[in-house]
Amino acid sequence: MTELVSYELNDGIATIVLNNGKANALSHEVFEALNKALDQAEQDKAVVILTGQPGVFSAGYDLKEMQKGPQEAAALVKVGSTLTRRLAAFPLPVIGACSGHAIAKGAFILLSVDHRIGIEGPFKLGLNEVAIGMTMHHAGIEIARHRLNPPHFYRSVVNAEIYSPEGAVEAGYLDEVVAQDKLLERANALASQFKQLNMRAHRETKVKAKAEYLALLDRCIQQDAENLGLRG
């Protein structure tokens, strides 16, 4: 798609790779490219594998953009929340192949896809917003509440606890952990399994199962925008 996000289609499986520097920072340009890749996956009716470069899935929002000012930060957060909302209701299965660290928005993306595979190693996963002086936004709180296991919700959102890959399975960021060299092999095997699903039933059941959550998320995204001075 672009140098920031690549798209490869192979036998009904679309592999989307984030590639934006050593932190895989999420900027307006990256979100635009991600949305274009997801548009293409919908057009191709493909099961999606979303992954990053070796060692990092994503360390979160692009701090250069976040530090431009309150309005700029708020605009980026709204775009990011809207992307995770899209992933939560995506009409085809989405597998998060977590290739390393997943912090802040990187972790929120994992909390928004259908199945999450991590890798063994000294990697960190979690929500560090409170630790770096950011009050958690409404959408972020509800994304975390929806997917994290209850004992870990408070520890993650309020205490900013960071997890190892194995701990992230217990917390609810990941569903499984594999050896580093087995990540894409496992993701493709699972994607092939998901291809056997009836996609109409998958789409309709996903939206029905998440109806209240998706409506809440829509309200939270709007509330965050208003609280941060954005309109529309």
Side-chain angles (χ1 to χ4, degrees), residues 65 80 90 108 112 165 175 206 213:
E65 293 196 20
F90 200 68
F108 280 124
S112 302
D175 294 296
K206 183 186 293 187
Y213 166 65

Side-chain angles (χ1 to χ4, degrees), residues 119-137:
I119 54 174
E120 299 169 347
F123 302 112
K124 298 178 180 180
L125 297 91
L127 306 174
N128 70 339
E129 281 80 354
V130 168
I132 61 173
M134 295 177 63
T135 300
M136 187 71 75
H137 55 307

Side-chain angles (χ1 to χ4, degrees), residues 133-185:
M134 295 177 63
T135 300
M136 187 71 75
H137 55 307
H138 292 92
I141 290 170
E142 296 307 328
I143 293 168
R145 194 195 314 273
H146 176 71
R147 203 66 181 276
L148 289 175
N149 292 324
H152 293 275
F153 167 71
Y154 191 96
R155 290 165 60 177
S156 294
V157 171
V158 180
N159 295 349
E161 185 168 337
I162 301 299
Y163 296 85
S164 67
E166 292 75 16
V169 173
E170 180 183 348
Y173 292 102
L174 298 173
D175 294 296
E176 59 181 291
V177 172
V178 299
Q180 293 186 30
D181 61 353
K182 299 295 184 182
L183 177 63
L184 290 181
E185 178 182 326

Side-chain angles (χ1 to χ4, degrees), residues 6-8 21 24 34 36 49 51 62 66 68 72 83 88 96 115 119-120 129 131 149 154 173 179 190 193 208 223:
S6 67
Y7 181 94
E8 180 180 349
N24 262 348
L34 267 175
K36 288 181 178 178
I49 296 172
T51 191
D62 188 331
M66 293 292 284
K68 288 179 180 178
E72 290 82 358
L83 184 278
H115 192 95
I119 54 174
E120 299 169 347
E129 281 80 354
N149 292 324
Y154 191 96
Y173 292 102
L190 187 61
Q193 179 182 327
K208 184 181 292 186
Q223 185 177 8

Side-chain angles (χ1 to χ4, degrees), residues 20-149:
N20 185 27
K22 65 180 182 179
N24 262 348
L26 299 167
S27 63
H28 282 289
E29 291 77 14
V30 171
F31 284 124
E32 181 180 359
L34 267 175
N35 275 307
K36 288 181 178 178
L38 291 171
D39 289 344
Q40 187 64 52
E42 284 198 58
Q43 182 177 323
D44 292 334
K45 296 181 172 57
V47 175
V48 172
I49 296 172
L50 179 59
T51 191
Q53 51 193 316
V56 60
F57 181 70
S58 175
Y61 288 122
D62 188 331
L63 291 181
K64 293 191 299 294
E65 293 196 20
M66 293 292 284
Q67 292 168 353
K68 288 179 180 178
Q71 286 288 113
E72 290 82 358
L76 187 59
V77 169
K78 183 176 182 181
V79 170
S81 293
T82 302
L83 184 278
T84 44
R85 198 273 187 208
R86 180 182 188 183
L87 288 171
F90 200 68
L92 296 141
V94 181
I95 297 164
C98 184
S99 52
H101 301 295
I103 299 295
K105 192 63 187 180
F108 280 124
I109 289 175
L110 293 176
L111 293 172
S112 302
V113 300
D114 296 306
H115 192 95
R116 298 78 46 85
I117 308 167
I119 54 174
E120 299 169 347
F123 302 112
K124 298 178 180 180
L125 297 91
L127 306 174
N128 70 339
E129 281 80 354
V130 168
I132 61 173
M134 295 177 63
T135 300
M136 187 71 75
H137 55 307
H138 292 92
I141 290 170
E142 296 307 328
I143 293 168
R145 194 195 314 273
H146 176 71
R147 203 66 181 276
L148 289 175
N149 292 324

